[in-house]
Amino acid sequence: MKKTLLLLSISCYGYASYSQDTRINGFCNVNAMAIKDNAVIPNKTVNNYFSLGQYDLFVTSQLTDRISALGETVFEYNPTTQHFGIDVERAIVNYAVNNYFNISVGKFHIPLGYWNNAYHHGMVLQPTITRPDAIKFEDEGGLLPIHDIGLQVSGDNLGKLNFGYNLMVGNGIASTADGDDNTSKSIIANVHIAPVQGLKLIASSYIDEVPSNTMTMHMNLTANAKATSYRVLNGSLAYMDGNKPLELIAEYYNVNTTMDSVGSKTTHGYLLYAGYRIKNFVPYVSYDAIDYQKGEAYFNPNNVKTTILGLRYSFTPLAVVKVEYKYHTYAPTTTNTGIKNSLAVQFAFGF
Amino acid sequence: MNTMKENISNILLMIALLIGILIYFLASGFTTSNKAIKAANIEIAVIVNKENPVTASSASEIKAYYLREKTRRWPVINKNIRPVANKNNNAEQTTFYQKVLNMRADDVEKYFISRQYQSAEKPQDKFSSDKEIIDFVGNEIGAIGFVNAASLNAEARSKVKVLLTVN
């Protein structure tokens, strides 16, 4: 009996280890910054420091021929608590029905625009040191609900234009990891084509409602307001063919919020990135901006513009150094000019 | 006005710095793992499992399957496409990357890492020898790989099917 059990357990182990292929990877980055910002320290406007970026534990697993899973957990220093916090950024299980239809459930980076799905928390794969303002993470003051928990169906490469789609239903803005404050769900739709190798054209949208007096993932309290409707329309173009020297990303986000107190307000978010690879170097420029409509009450409206001049060097695909000069403007006040200059170096790596 | 002047001078300083770094690295011929291993005068064979009815025979068709560009699952058998590679960047691998994929080794690596990072796609399965690759492709119906054509003895040919030979 013991022998039978032993043989059975060995055969089961053998089967499991063959069919389930799990890979554990990690990403991290170390930064050096020199910042001149009149707002930070009014009497001493220059600051410089080293910093540790997000420590990203990334796990993927092919569970069966059709089922795959992905987990991305980030350890990040929280200046408020002065401790490292842990956040499950993505946890997805995917069932591939066929080439044109996949079903996924879990916590996603929502299928809105290009950048949000091409680059996640591992900075080594991202072309710039930081995410553009328009698509910053929710807890960093971003416009968009980057993460959501729900169900997604998707497909790619249909027809000659390589048409693809993503449709997602999620808890939405007013939700936590274990629930949702309202019955209204977020609806995200993304359609895209890739007419030539490396070129992707995307149109996507996001619709949700936020009940009154709810702390949202944007860290805003919609106090004393009746339900806020929140809608995003997006158009993106990306030419990122790893085999060609030119890199180009252009995205536009139109974010509309409607509150009974102030009515309908529209915010525009833009980002433009262009790089050109010369051997293992990529010199690049980037411009991004957020332009709030006067009277916007859902967000803390602070128009920002950022211009970046940078150079990226890849030792290997998983060891990259970036050098950037950033010119950032924001709404001036009586104590600052609203201009921030910074020079940053980032060493990003994966293992 | 002074702020504007400072900003302009900062920008010019940065441009000069970046150009300086670029010139330094280019002039010093700084190279990395992309260092080209010249494709030796060898013949490689692109192989799939014997049970896979696919009939692709052109380099562009094989590239599309290997990179899972147009499809992630094989036609007819509807199985996951599992690209296979060498652990080391040897002459066979260089020949396959250059002549079939038309890509640099680092670009292939980055391509699969990006796909894994974006959508949990399984990257290449990597092996140390042609024998290990042949054994894997022979056992795994969805696998596609490449070996030195000289490694395909009678026993190997009973397990795998050759789609294309390249030299």
Side-chain angles (χ1 to χ4, degrees):
Chain A
M1 182 65 182
K2 275 185 181 174
K3 199 174 175 182
T4 309
L5 283 173
L6 181 65
L7 284 171
L8 186 64
S9 63
I10 289 170
S11 62
C12 285
Y13 173 77
Y15 174 76
S17 61
Y18 175 74
S19 62
Q20 183 171 339
D21 184 345
T22 300
R23 303 195 183 199
I24 301 172
N25 298 93
F27 300 100
C28 193
N29 60 88
V30 182
N31 310 307
M33 307 276 290
I35 299 175
K36 184 177 181 185
D37 183 357
N38 291 351
V40 176
I41 311 169
N43 297 320
K44 186 186 174 190
T45 59
V46 175
N47 193 10
N48 58 67
Y49 54 88
F50 292 102
S51 68
L52 185 66
Q54 296 182 333
Y55 186 91
D56 183 353
L57 180 62
F58 181 69
V59 182
T60 55
S61 187
Q62 190 74 40
L63 303 175
T64 71
D65 180 66
R66 291 179 185 274
I67 301 174
S68 59
L70 178 157
E72 186 170 26
T73 305
V74 164
F75 304 77
E76 185 178 21
Y77 183 72
N78 183 335
T80 308
T81 62
Q82 298 192 338
H83 287 97
F84 275 86
I86 302 173
D87 203 350
V88 177
E89 303 289 355
R90 290 191 290 164
I92 303 164
V93 62
N94 177 63
Y95 184 85
V97 177
N98 58 37
N99 276 318
Y100 312 115
F101 188 67
N102 298 289
I103 305 171
S104 310
V105 291
K107 183 175 182 181
F108 299 86
H109 277 194
I110 62 170
L112 196 60
Y114 176 81
W115 195 293
N116 196 41
N117 285 277
Y119 311 113
H120 301 274
H121 295 265
M123 294 297 109
V124 70
L125 300 171
Q126 182 174 282
T128 54
I129 288 180
T130 54
R131 287 169 80 94
D133 285 321
I135 51 167
K136 270 189 173 169
F137 295 118
E138 307 91 336
D139 55 359
E140 295 173 357
L143 279 179
L144 309 174
I146 301 293
H147 302 86
D148 204 355
I149 299 171
L151 180 146
Q152 184 175 171
V153 294
S154 61
D156 281 308
N157 300 316
L158 289 151
K160 286 185 178 172
L161 291 176
N162 294 313
F163 174 82
Y165 66 92
N166 300 72
L167 295 170
M168 180 176 170
V169 180
N171 277 341
I173 295 171
S175 66
T176 62
D178 68 345
D180 191 0
D181 288 345
N182 61 348
T183 54
S184 170
K185 300 294 129 192
S186 60
I187 307 288
I188 306 121
N190 177 318
V191 289
H192 48 271
I193 55 171
V196 297
Q197 177 79 34
L199 176 65
K200 199 166 186 179
L201 302 167
I202 300 170
S204 60
S205 68
Y206 179 100
I207 302 169
D208 198 8
E209 285 190 3
V210 186
S212 57
N213 297 313
T214 300
M215 185 69 81
T216 72
M217 61 171 72
H218 286 110
M219 304 299 177
N220 300 314
L221 183 66
T222 59
N224 304 319
K226 289 188 179 173
T228 300
S229 85
Y230 179 97
R231 185 264 293 150
V232 183
L233 296 175
N234 153 261
S236 300
L237 177 154
Y239 183 71
M240 298 294 280
D241 181 352
N243 218 15
K244 297 282 192 303
L246 180 65
E247 300 179 346
L248 184 67
I249 302 171
E251 299 200 69
Y252 169 67
Y253 292 91
N254 179 300
V255 182
N256 179 271
T257 59
T258 304
M259 299 171 74
D260 283 358
S261 53
V262 295
S264 172
K265 301 292 175 190
T266 301
T267 299
H268 306 280
Y270 314 87
L271 76 92
L272 183 63
Y273 163 87
Y276 194 86
R277 189 171 71 179
I278 305 163
K279 293 191 174 178
N280 287 6
F281 290 93
V282 180
Y284 59 89
V285 292
S286 160
Y287 172 79
D288 64 85
I290 301 176
D291 186 13
Y292 294 92
Q293 186 175 351
K294 196 174 178 185
E296 164 62 55
Y298 178 77
F299 296 106
N300 178 22
N302 184 353
N303 291 348
V304 291
K305 290 188 176 92
T306 303
T307 306
I308 292 172
L309 185 64
L311 179 68
R312 189 170 73 246
Y313 179 80
S314 300
F315 294 93
T316 75
L318 289 177
V320 175
V321 65
K322 305 168 199 169
V323 183
E324 277 185 7
Y325 168 74
K326 184 186 282 191
Y327 179 75
H328 179 74
T329 64
Y330 51 97
T333 68
T334 52
T335 57
N336 67 67
T337 60
I339 295 173
K340 184 160 85 172
N341 288 287
S342 62
L343 176 62
V345 180
Q346 178 181 75
F347 185 70
F349 54 99
F351 46 93
Chain B
M1 193 62 187
N2 280 342
T3 312
M4 177 71 84
K5 276 184 182 172
E6 280 177 19
N7 289 331
I8 291 170
S9 64
N10 281 341
I11 291 170
L12 291 174
L13 188 66
M14 272 305 303
I15 292 172
L17 182 63
L18 292 175
I19 291 172
I21 293 170
L22 188 64
I23 290 170
Y24 169 76
F25 279 117
L26 289 176
S28 62
F30 200 102
T31 53
T32 66
S33 60
N34 262 331
K35 212 179 279 181
I37 295 176
K38 283 190 180 172
N41 191 19
I42 56 169
E43 186 179 48
I44 63 161
V46 181
I47 56 173
V48 293
N49 186 279
K50 196 87 174 172
E51 304 300 317
N52 190 340
V54 69
T55 55
S57 58
S58 72
S60 61
E61 281 177 295
I62 286 167
K63 178 182 178 181
Y65 283 124
Y66 190 86
L67 297 179
R68 297 156 57 102
E69 281 178 334
K70 282 284 288 180
T71 172
R72 294 172 188 178
R73 303 182 73 77
W74 289 108
V76 184
I77 57 174
N78 194 21
K79 290 284 181 186
N80 225 351
I81 297 173
R82 296 186 66 171
V84 176
N86 265 292
K87 277 183 182 165
N88 304 310
N89 197 17
N90 59 12
E92 287 80 4
Q93 187 140 296
T94 304
T95 303
F96 180 74
Y97 287 174
Q98 286 181 359
K99 296 190 174 174
V100 179
L101 303 187
N102 192 24
M103 292 170 80
R104 305 187 314 165
D106 272 5
D107 292 337
V108 176
E109 190 78 13
K110 187 173 182 182
Y111 175 87
F112 281 108
I113 291 168
S114 298
R115 304 266 293 205
Q116 180 193 11
Y117 195 53
Q118 286 163 16
S119 54
E121 271 191 40
K122 194 172 178 302
Q124 296 153 299
D125 289 289
K126 293 190 174 180
F127 299 95
S128 303
S129 67
D130 279 3
K131 184 181 181 310
E132 287 181 10
I133 291 175
I134 291 165
D135 286 346
F136 182 79
V137 174
N139 285 323
E140 176 57 49
I141 192 167
I144 176 170
F146 51 88
V147 292
N148 192 312
S151 301
L152 289 172
N153 54 26
E155 187 197 345
R157 285 180 185 273
S158 69
K159 294 192 276 187
V160 300
K161 180 168 83 177
V162 176
L163 291 182
L164 176 71
T165 55
V166 182
N167 53 24

